[in-house]
Each structure stands twice: as structure tokens, then as C-alpha cells.
Amino acid sequence: MAEPLHYQPSPTRTEPSAQEALNELLENLHQHGFLRLANDMVKANNDIGKIVAAGLNRPGTQNAVQNLSLLFMTLSTVPPERFNHLLLALRDALLAMKPASDTAQQEKSAPGVSGVLKLLNDEALWQGIRPLLAALETFARAMQGDEEKPITRYSGKPSRE
């Protein structure tokens, strides 16, 4: 007797092949004008390069890039949960400013000496001011320090001047 054949049919494709996906991508890029833009940029390569180099070679642009870099390096040292807490507190403070301003506008007279004395005895007010005073003290101490080049602060290496 003959032995049975072990035939297994190949599964039907459900996704396009790489070549089909590439053709579809190319057609979409063409339909939306990206290929024309890329071709024009390649043709104008020298002109675009000169414009970008001239723009980046200005002192103001260099300062802006360095300042952004410093901002990102500083933000990288703040834990996200603390930064989130700070942003939410800042948002709440900004939202509280308008109603407080409206209330102050409705009051026609100044609080006077008795109003100031009440504020001095307001425990909630002092609890709220304490973090601001600590931040102000830390900021003032940091501002009194000597300025140094950022490369020295972040890498410990002296800068060449």
C-alpha cells in the first residue's frame, strides 16, 4: 500500500507583504506632497544648509540653544512626582487668584489696623507663607553665590575662557 502524503497548505496571508506596504507608503507620501517636499529639499540642499548654518551661527541662537539645554538638564534632576506636585499647586494658585482679586475689588475700604492684626494672628495664612519664605530664602542664597559656567557646574571640568 501507498503511504499517506503529509501535505500542509500554507496559511492565507492576512497582512500585506513588506513590498506591498512599501508601495502603499510611497503612494501615500506622493498623494500628500511629502515626496515633492523631500525632492525640493534635496535639490536645494546647499541653499538650505547655508540658511540653517547662518541662523545657528548667531550669538542669540547659540545662547537660546544653551539655555534650553540648561533648562532640560535642570528639569532632569527634579523627580516627576515632585514636579507634578509643583505644577498642580501652581495651577491651583493661579485659579485662586481671580476670585480673590474680584473679592478685593468689591471691598471698598482698606482692612485697616484691625484687619492687619487679624491677618497676623491667622494660623492658616502663616502655614501657607512658610513654604514661600523657605523658597525665597533658598533663592536669595543661591543668587548670592558666584556665577560659574554651566560646563563647570554639570561636569566639574573648568571652562576655557
Side-chain angles (χ1 to χ4, degrees):
M1 267 222 246
E3 291 189 25
L5 295 175
H6 295 287
Y7 173 74
Q8 194 167 9
S10 58
T12 306
R13 284 189 329 170
T14 57
E15 295 182 2
S17 68
Q19 185 64 45
E20 293 169 345
L22 180 62
N23 289 339
E24 183 180 357
L25 174 65
L26 192 61
E27 184 62 32
N28 286 330
L29 289 173
H30 174 68
Q31 287 177 359
H32 294 287
F34 286 103
L35 286 182
R36 174 183 254 168
L37 175 65
N39 277 329
D40 290 345
M41 286 182 67
V42 168
K43 289 177 187 173
N45 190 15
N46 290 338
D47 295 337
I48 292 174
K50 288 177 186 175
I51 291 170
V52 170
L56 290 176
N57 203 21
R58 294 182 182 163
T61 306
Q62 292 171 355
N63 285 343
V65 169
Q66 288 178 2
N67 289 341
L68 280 174
S69 173
L70 286 171
L71 180 64
F72 288 138
M73 285 192 295
T74 303
L75 282 175
S76 72
T77 63
V78 179
E81 58 276 1
R82 183 171 289 176
F83 191 66
N84 181 50
H85 192 75
L86 174 74
L87 288 178
L88 292 176
L90 184 62
R91 180 204 59 193
D92 292 344
L94 289 174
L95 291 175
M97 287 174 71
K98 180 65 173 156
S101 175
D102 291 344
T103 303
Q105 292 293 329
Q106 291 174 356
E107 295 177 5
K108 298 294 182 197
S109 62
V113 175
S114 63
V116 171
L117 288 175
K118 287 180 186 176
L119 285 177
L120 290 175
N121 290 324
D122 187 0
E123 188 64 31
L125 175 68
W126 286 109
Q127 293 296 326
I129 289 177
R130 279 194 186 129
L132 294 175
L133 292 176
L136 190 60
E137 181 181 349
T138 304
F139 179 76
R141 215 174 322 145
M143 289 300 291
Q144 291 171 354
D146 292 334
E147 288 184 3
E148 60 182 344
K149 293 282 185 178
I151 190 72
T152 304
R153 183 178 330 123
Y154 287 102
S155 70
K157 299 176 184 177
S159 65
R160 293 179 277 172
E161 291 189 46

